[in-house]
Amino acid sequence: MRPGILLDRDGTIIVDHGYVGSVDRVEFIDGASEAIASFNAAGVPVAVVTNQSGVARGLYGLDDVDQVHAHIAAHLASRGARIDLFAYCPYHPDGVVQAFSRTSEDRKPGPGMARAAAAALGLDLSRSWVVGDRPEDVGLAKSIGASAAYLGSDASPGPSVWPFPSLAAAAPFILRQLSARAMEQGAA
């Protein structure tokens, strides 16, 4: 079991234009590709865990989410970076699409997507990091015992929560923390 990085999508990797369900609405945040590449170079698995209630709200479909993720993956690959797993929650209790109108433990801050990433990638969630721009991301970190890098302007640092202006700013700190923990465990 190893630590991993669980990234939110909108507001962390791409600009949050609200319900980004098509490739033409994807705009990458400066430095995000390089930050992900730095995690890759360090051998740290990277998963995207994103709430996509636009599916439940009838704004776009599952194929649209998959196309956006394929576009993100291609963009990252062209810059020497990769996402090891894309996970998303299409459910929302107020949805208008009956098949997706329900509560789900996958919807952040619920732990479902993080547990799926842990199973698929062999992650120790208690040694992992959640990075995102919403309180739900911090809530996810708390629900799985992970550390959190919060990219919001209304950051309130607390135990295991560190504020940063961007993923690019957070990545070097996270890598230093992971390295320090690995050294501590190696000495034990």
Side-chain angles (χ1 to χ4, degrees):
M1 302 292 278
R2 57 195 174 158
I5 308 294
L6 305 176
L7 298 177
D8 180 42
R9 191 188 81 178
D10 303 3
T12 301
I13 301 171
I14 62 173
V15 174
D16 188 351
H17 290 301
Y19 302 108
V20 178
S22 63
V23 171
D24 62 325
R25 299 192 67 218
V26 173
E27 178 185 351
F28 289 88
I29 295 173
D30 289 340
S33 300
E34 294 80 5
I36 293 167
S38 73
F39 295 135
N40 299 150
V44 181
V46 180
V48 166
V49 291
T50 177
N51 288 340
Q52 290 299 312
S53 69
V55 174
R57 296 174 193 280
L59 301 173
Y60 47 83
L62 297 175
D63 288 344
D64 299 313
V65 177
D66 292 337
Q67 287 175 10
V68 167
H69 290 168
H71 178 71
I72 291 170
H75 174 86
L76 292 174
S78 74
R79 285 154 178 79
R82 76 177 180 288
I83 300 296
D84 297 299
L85 176 75
F86 283 94
Y88 63 92
C89 178
Y91 304 106
H92 194 282
D94 298 330
V96 297
V97 177
Q98 186 175 5
F100 301 105
S101 180
R102 66 176 177 88
T103 59
S104 171
E105 78 163 11
D106 288 343
R107 183 166 176 75
K108 294 183 292 185
M113 288 188 287
R115 288 181 182 153
L121 301 174
L123 304 182
D124 178 347
L125 293 177
S126 69
R127 293 171 44 215
S128 296
W129 282 78
V130 176
V131 184
D133 66 324
R134 295 188 170 256
E136 292 86 358
D137 299 308
V138 174
L140 171 61
K142 288 180 181 177
S143 76
I144 62 172
S147 298
Y150 184 61
L151 309 181
S153 59
D154 58 341
S156 55
S160 298
V161 179
W162 288 267
F164 293 94
S166 66
L167 177 58
F173 176 81
I174 293 170
L175 287 170
R176 283 193 304 274
Q177 294 294 310
L178 290 173
S179 178
R181 286 184 194 168
M183 290 174 60
E184 287 172 9
Q185 290 180 336

